[in-house]
Amino acid sequence: MSALEKISSNKVFEGELAKYKFKSAALGGLDAQFNLFLPKNPTGAKVPVLVYLSGLTCTEDNGAQKGGFFGIAATQNIAILLPDTSPRGAGVPGEDDDWDFGTGAGFYVDATKPEYSKHYNMKTHITVELPQVIEAAGLPIDFKRQSIFGHSMGGHGALTLYLSSKTKQYRSASAFAPIANPTKCPWGEKAFKGYLAGGIAEAVDNYDATELISKRTEPVHILIDYGTADNFYKQGQLLPENFLKAARDVGYDEFQVRVRSQEGYDHSYYFISSFAQDHIHCTFDFDYL
C-alpha cells in the first residue's frame, strides 16, 4: 500500500486542512490527491468523517475552497474528506475530448469497458482504498462513523454509494442537485455507455439512485436539495422528482427521504454554501432531517 505524502496544510477554524497524494492501486498506479479537514482535536481521539464528492470538471479543491463546510464541521467535531472526481493522466484515447466524460468526470463507477477498467475505478477508490490508506497512515478518522454527501455528479455518487452498500458503510447520504436518475438523462447515458461494458443495462442495477431506492426496504436517511433556477434541472439532467416518487412508492416517508426544492437557487457553490449547514447537521443527527 502506497504511503501518504502531505503536500500542503492550512489552518482553518482551529483545525487543519491538509492535501495528500499517494500512488493509487485502484486507479491503476496513478497519483491520486485528496483533501482532509480535521477539526481541532487535542486528545487525538478518532473523529467521524463526512465524505464529499464533487461534480463534473471539479477536483478535490472545489468543495474545500467554496463549499463553506469547515466552520460547521468544526463545531460538530466532524472530519471532511474530499477526494478527486476521476483518475488523472490515464492516457485513454478520448478521455480529454469532452468536459462531461473522462478526466474530471469519473461518475464514481468501477469501469468495465477494457480501455477504462484499469484506471477508472472511482467507486473502489472512494469506498475501499481511501479508508485503507488513511487508516494505515494513522490519521485519527473513525470510518465506522462515516456518512457521504455530494454535488451534481457527486450527488449521484453519494446516493448510489450509500444505497448500493451491502455493509451499510455510510450512516446517511445527502446531495445538492444530484443527477438522481442518470439512466434517464443525457449525462448519465453518455457516462454509462462509455465506462460500462453493459452500458445502461449494467448501470440500472448498480449506479442509478432512483432504481436503487425502488428496491430498498431497509431504513434510510437521505436529504436532497435542488434549486428551481438550476439550468441543469430545467434541462432534465437531475430528475429529483423521479427519485422522490420512487422513494414514496416503496413507503419511505418525509423523515427517511426528504427532497427539498429551493426557490431561485442555481447549480453553483453559492447554492451549496447556502445549505451546507443543513447537510452537515443531518450527517449524524437524523432528527435534523
Side-chain angles (χ1 to χ4, degrees), residues 124-186:
T124 295
H125 176 64
I126 301 297
T127 61
V128 178
E129 185 174 53
L130 281 176
Q132 289 178 346
V133 169
I134 289 169
E135 286 188 326
L139 296 172
I141 301 297
D142 183 359
F143 283 103
K144 293 180 181 178
R145 293 183 292 160
Q146 63 172 320
S147 289
I148 191 165
F149 70 154
H151 170 230
S152 193
M153 178 186 72
H156 143 77
L159 294 173
T160 57
L161 296 186
Y162 171 68
L163 289 168
S164 66
S165 174
K166 293 179 172 57
T167 62
K168 298 184 180 179
Q169 181 171 1
Y170 304 104
R171 294 192 177 191
S172 68
S174 74
F176 306 94
I179 306 171
N181 194 183
T183 61
K184 303 294 185 185
C185 77

Side-chain angles (χ1 to χ4, degrees), residues 6-284:
K6 184 185 284 190
I7 56 179
S8 68
S9 176
N10 296 93
K11 185 174 182 178
V12 55
F13 290 100
E14 300 302 319
E16 180 193 26
L17 176 66
K19 182 188 289 289
Y20 295 92
K21 74 174 182 179
F22 68 101
K23 292 287 185 184
S24 168
L27 305 185
L30 298 174
D31 282 341
Q33 296 188 165
F34 64 90
N35 285 307
L36 179 65
F37 169 75
L38 280 172
K40 185 178 180 181
N41 187 20
T43 68
K46 288 186 176 183
V47 296
V49 63
L50 178 56
V51 181
Y52 176 75
L53 304 182
S54 284
L56 290 165
T57 76
C58 292
T59 71
E60 71 279 3
D61 290 331
N62 295 75
Q65 294 170 353
K66 298 187 288 187
F69 304 141
F70 302 138
I72 186 62
T75 67
Q76 300 298 303
N77 201 38
I78 295 171
I80 308 280
L81 172 61
L82 304 104
D84 203 348
T85 56
S86 77
R88 303 280 166 176
V92 180
E95 71 175 346
D96 294 320
D97 289 352
D98 297 312
W99 68 274
D100 56 356
F101 182 82
T103 302
F107 267 82
Y108 304 103
V109 305
D110 282 349
T112 52
K113 273 195 173 179
E115 62 267 40
Y116 289 99
S117 61
K118 178 179 179 180
H119 299 291
Y120 278 78
N121 298 301
M122 292 302 294
K123 178 178 181 178
T124 295
H125 176 64
I126 301 297
T127 61
V128 178
E129 185 174 53
L130 281 176
Q132 289 178 346
V133 169
I134 289 169
E135 286 188 326
L139 296 172
I141 301 297
D142 183 359
F143 283 103
K144 293 180 181 178
R145 293 183 292 160
Q146 63 172 320
S147 289
I148 191 165
F149 70 154
H151 170 230
S152 193
M153 178 186 72
H156 143 77
L159 294 173
T160 57
L161 296 186
Y162 171 68
L163 289 168
S164 66
S165 174
K166 293 179 172 57
T167 62
K168 298 184 180 179
Q169 181 171 1
Y170 304 104
R171 294 192 177 191
S172 68
S174 74
F176 306 94
I179 306 171
N181 194 183
T183 61
K184 303 294 185 185
C185 77
W187 278 342
E189 290 173 359
K190 181 176 182 177
F192 299 145
K193 289 176 182 177
Y195 294 130
L196 304 179
I200 300 300
E202 183 178 343
V204 166
D205 292 330
N206 299 286
Y207 299 116
D208 188 314
T210 296
E211 296 291 338
L212 289 167
I213 194 73
S214 72
K215 299 174 177 67
R216 283 287 293 249
T217 56
E218 304 90 345
V220 297
H221 300 285
I222 294 172
L223 171 64
I224 292 173
D225 281 316
Y226 67 93
T228 61
D230 185 327
N231 285 333
F232 297 122
Y233 167 67
K234 295 176 182 179
Q235 292 167 13
Q237 296 279 19
L238 308 182
L239 305 174
E241 292 93 347
N242 292 9
F243 179 84
L244 180 60
K245 182 179 186 302
R248 294 290 183 263
D249 284 349
V250 292
Y252 289 117
D253 60 19
E254 184 77 0
F255 174 72
Q256 292 183 304
V257 175
R258 188 168 187 183
V259 178
R260 309 188 302 189
S261 63
Q262 303 294 354
E263 183 67 30
Y265 284 91
D266 58 20
H267 202 72
S268 71
Y269 270 88
Y270 298 113
F271 159 62
I272 294 170
S273 61
S274 296
F275 298 96
Q277 179 169 307
D278 289 7
H279 286 248
I280 292 171
H281 266 304
C282 83
T283 303
F284 298 101

